[in-house]
Amino acid sequence: MAIRGEFSSRIGFVLAAAGSAVGLGNIWGFPTKVASNGGAAFVLVYLLLAFVLAYPVLMAELIIGRSSRSNMVDALGKISGNFIGRATGIWGCITVSLILAFYAIVGGWMLVYFADSAVNIVGLSSASDWLLTSSVTRNILFCFLFMSLTAFIVVGGVKAGIEKWSVRLMPTLVILILALIVYVSLQPGASEGWAAYLVPDFSRVLDPELLINAMGQAFFSMSLGVGTMLVYGSYLSKKENLPTIGASVALVDIGVAVIAGMLIIPAMYVALNNGVEIFTPEGALIQGDSLIFKVLPALFETIGTVGLFVAFTFFALMAIAAVTSSISMLEVPVAYMVESKGLKRKKAVLLMATIIFILSCVIILNFELLFGFVIALTTEYSQPLLGLALCIFAGWVWRRDAILEELKQGDQFAEHSIFWKIWPWYVRFVCPVIIALMFYRSVF
């Protein structure tokens, strides 16, 4: 136990765990879902489902992780007492590695646009032309830079790597978002964006499409189902109150998603006011990579010299959001290699980062065929099924007295708390049903 890393402070853990959850999907996916699904009505449903669905699953991962004090494979193996748990853990490691393989490509694009905004500030237009011309060489180079940055942080371990950088990067992320909110809100057209984001359309609350979107966003926005929270939980002090610290992580994650919406949606309507098209032919708001790499850069171009610095700031925050998520993903297979296979951390990081980078290169070289396929395979199929499996392990396989004993580590009155009375039943019956329904609805 002594050789395992441990977060040195509560704030360090909360920022690291929230950083894992606050990824690119939160910043480019959540805002447009809000604006397209009834504004503040969607936010209210999302907040409800985040604590009704996502928080109990988050707690399952944290409790399993801290109790086992081990990686995902060994943790689930200890709970099940057989190969099924270990096989599920390996499945999780493979899934998170595949997610990171495509995520590193997108993270590389963020570095491309960040570099482009930097060279534009100093007037290197020829470099800008090369950066913005999509090519295999460019994509592989910047994917390599992104994976190298991720590996550099993870090599430092829990305290000197993950925690050290999370407590720097997460506050920087929030400050950059808030600064951009102030600037964008002062531009013509921003008020229409605020209205689209914050004015509720309560007639949409019971719309099945809204409920499915909110449920999916709540579950996936907290980085659940692939072992990142389980591994981070294994580095958490036994003195911490798990339900309280889990709620802190959920609140920070939700808070960043909400303030990201306060930036993105008003910015889109400022772009519309400046002549940039922000709607698809079907009338929905443009989202995803088209929003980040087409709509917003077009907006930055319309606001002159200031736009260069706004673009620099925006892509800096997007790169930070990408890195805080990628370090948690790389840590999942690295922890397995260190603890189960006996590799030194530096060698484990180098090995896994190299394997994942090679997978990224394969995707880049077969982009049309593999990029969308890998995203769908991991996030639409594997991730929710892993979340379902974790609920089954926590609710049906693990002994209730062992769970209570773990909760008592940070709260001697745990057995009398409302959380303990509700959570075991809830994670056993309610969460698996909701996740299964969500999976069925999204796939079929």
Side-chain angles (χ1 to χ4, degrees):
M1 293 298 173
I3 62 169
R4 288 194 95 247
E6 186 173 285
F7 287 102
S8 64
S9 65
R10 172 177 290 199
I11 189 67
F13 171 80
V14 170
L15 290 177
S20 169
V22 177
L24 298 175
N26 263 31
I27 293 177
W28 77 29
F30 177 77
T32 44
K33 281 188 173 69
V34 173
S36 302
N37 288 277
F42 179 91
V43 177
L44 292 175
V45 174
Y46 166 76
L47 291 174
L48 175 66
L49 292 177
F51 279 96
V52 166
L53 172 65
Y55 174 66
V57 181
L58 170 64
M59 286 305 305
E61 289 204 34
L62 293 180
I63 293 170
I64 291 172
R66 196 178 72 169
S67 172
S68 65
R69 277 293 200 248
S70 56
N71 61 84
M72 189 179 188
V73 178
D74 292 340
L76 297 182
K78 289 175 185 176
I79 288 176
S80 66
N82 55 43
F83 77 94
I84 295 175
R86 295 188 65 82
T88 304
I90 290 171
W91 171 25
C93 288
I94 292 171
T95 298
V96 79
S97 298
L98 286 171
I99 291 174
L100 184 51
F102 78 75
Y103 200 86
I105 297 170
V106 181
W109 294 343
M110 295 303 165
L111 294 181
V112 166
Y113 277 78
F114 176 67
D116 176 65
S117 61
V119 299
N120 276 320
I121 289 174
V122 296
L124 297 175
S125 57
S126 58
S128 176
D129 292 340
W130 181 82
L131 287 166
L132 295 186
T133 302
S134 182
S135 67
V136 169
T137 303
R138 185 205 71 173
N139 290 340
I140 289 177
L141 173 61
F142 279 88
C143 177
F144 175 78
L145 290 174
F146 183 82
M147 280 305 301
S148 298
L149 182 58
T150 301
F152 169 75
I153 294 173
V154 176
V155 161
V158 180
K159 194 177 296 184
I162 295 169
E163 182 176 3
K164 174 184 173 181
W165 285 96
S166 294
V167 297
R168 288 171 167 81
L169 294 174
M170 280 302 291
T172 305
L173 176 78
V174 173
I175 290 168
L176 292 178
I177 293 176
L178 293 175
L180 287 172
I181 287 173
V182 172
Y183 175 78
V184 167
S185 296
L186 296 174
Q187 304 306 304
S191 57
E192 288 82 357
W194 279 98
Y197 186 64
L198 294 179
V199 176
D201 178 6
F202 288 116
S203 66
R204 300 283 305 279
V205 167
L206 297 179
D207 182 344
E209 196 65 31
L210 181 150
L211 292 172
I212 291 295
N213 281 330
M215 201 181 299
Q217 187 68 32
F219 187 78
F220 297 121
S221 71
M222 287 194 198
S223 191
L224 302 176
V226 291
T228 54
M229 292 302 181
L230 188 156
V231 171
Y232 274 14
S234 76
Y235 300 135
L236 189 58
S237 168
K238 291 282 187 179
K239 298 176 182 177
E240 296 292 351
N241 184 309
L242 279 177
T244 302
I245 205 166
S248 300
V249 172
L251 286 170
V252 173
D253 176 53
I254 291 166
V256 173
V258 170
I259 66 168
M262 295 176 182
L263 166 63
I264 299 296
I265 299 304
M268 291 182 77
Y269 278 82
V270 171
L272 180 65
N273 183 77
N274 291 1
V276 179
E277 184 53 61
I278 68 169
F279 294 101
T280 65
E282 294 76 29
L285 280 170
I286 292 173
Q287 58 180 307
D289 57 345
S290 295
L291 164 65
I292 300 301
F293 301 125
K294 292 180 182 177
V295 174
L296 293 180
L299 163 63
F300 302 145
E301 285 182 14
T302 65
I303 50 181
T305 305
V306 176
L308 298 176
F309 295 95
V310 175
F312 181 84
T313 306
F314 177 75
F315 285 108
L317 84 85
M318 293 301 289
I320 290 170
V323 169
T324 56
S325 290
S326 66
I327 58 177
S328 69
M329 287 188 266
L330 183 57
E331 180 64 19
V332 175
V334 164
Y336 170 61
M337 288 294 174
V338 170
E339 295 168 13
S340 283
K341 301 302 179 184
L343 292 183
K344 297 289 186 183
R345 172 168 280 270
K346 189 172 182 178
K347 186 178 288 187
V349 171
L350 184 62
L351 174 65
M352 290 312 307
T354 301
I355 291 171
I356 292 167
F357 174 65
I358 290 170
L359 290 172
S360 298
C361 290
V362 172
I363 295 172
I364 291 170
L365 293 169
N366 302 274
F367 192 83
E368 295 297 328
L369 179 67
L370 292 180
F371 188 70
F373 171 75
V374 173
I375 292 175
L377 178 69
T378 53
T379 63
E380 294 178 22
Y381 293 90
S382 190
Q383 196 172 356
L385 290 175
L386 277 164
L388 180 63
L390 284 167
C391 286
I392 292 170
F393 277 109
W396 293 94
V397 179
W398 206 13
R399 300 191 324 275
R400 284 171 63 95
D401 58 332
I403 299 173
L404 179 57
E405 191 60 37
E406 184 54 41
L407 287 172
K408 280 182 177 179
Q409 294 285 339
D411 179 11
Q412 58 181 319
F413 303 108
E415 61 188 313
H416 304 296
S417 69
I418 295 175
F419 177 86
W420 172 245
K421 289 181 172 66
I422 296 174
W423 181 81
W425 168 83
Y426 199 86
V427 82
R428 175 177 283 201
F429 295 105
V430 179
C431 286
V433 171
I434 294 176
I435 294 171
L437 287 173
M438 181 178 72
F439 175 74
Y440 177 83
R441 178 64 187 262
S442 65
V443 173
F444 302 102

